[in-house]
C-alpha cells in the first residue's frame, strides 16, 4: 500500500484524480510558458510524510517553475488534500 492510500484510504483515487485534473487545467493555462522550458507539471510535486520524524503530511514541489505556477501547485495540493484526507 502506497503513502497516498495510507493517508487517503478509499479517497486516494479521488485525491489523485483531483490533483491530476487541476494540474492538467493549470498546464493548459500556461502551456506556452511550459512548452518553452519543456516543463511537465505532472512531475513537479510530491507528497511527503514525516520530516525528521514529525509524522506530518506535507506537499513539496520537486522544482521551482515560477512564483505564480508554484503558488498554484501548492494551492491545488492543499485544496485536494483538505477535501479528501481521511481523519487520522
Amino acid at each position: 500500500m502506497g503513502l497516498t492510500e495510507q493517508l487517503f484510504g478509499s479517497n486516494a483515487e479521488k485525491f489523485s484524480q483531483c490533483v491530476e485534473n487541476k494540474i492538467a487545467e493549470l498546464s493548459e493555462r500556461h502551456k506556452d510558458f511550459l512548452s518553452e522550458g519543456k516543463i511537465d507539471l505532472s512531475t513537479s510535486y510530491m507528497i511527503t510524510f514525516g520530516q525528521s520524524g514529525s509524522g506530518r503530511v506535507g506537499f513539496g514541489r520537486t522544482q521551482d517553475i515560477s512564483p505564480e505556477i508554484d503558488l498554484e501547485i501548492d494551492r491545488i495540493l492543499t485544496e485536494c488534500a483538505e477535501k479528501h484526507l481521511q481523519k487520522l
Side-chain angles (χ1 to χ4, degrees):
M1 179 182 289
L3 176 60
T4 304
E5 289 80 12
Q6 289 175 16
L7 297 173
F8 294 94
S10 62
N11 286 327
E13 189 173 332
K14 291 177 185 177
F15 167 75
S16 296
Q17 209 50 48
C18 177
V19 172
E20 288 172 17
N21 290 343
K22 290 179 183 282
I23 292 290
E25 291 170 8
L26 182 62
S27 293
E28 183 62 28
R29 282 197 312 266
H30 296 283
K31 65 183 172 189
D32 293 336
F33 173 78
L34 296 172
S35 65
E36 282 178 24
K38 297 181 180 164
I39 299 168
D40 179 7
L41 289 186
S42 67
T43 62
S44 64
Y45 62 91
M46 65 181 170
I47 299 172
T48 58
F49 182 73
Q51 294 180 345
S52 302
S54 69
R56 292 184 178 172
V57 177
F59 304 102
R61 282 177 270 101
T62 56
Q63 60 185 337
D64 291 327
I65 299 165
S66 77
E68 179 185 356
I69 293 174
D70 294 347
L71 185 64
E72 282 293 309
I73 291 171
D74 293 343
R75 184 187 59 75
I76 287 168
L77 292 169
T78 300
E79 284 179 2
C80 290
E82 287 175 353
K83 186 174 181 181
H84 299 293
L85 188 63
Q86 285 190 153
K87 303 281 187 228
L88 298 177

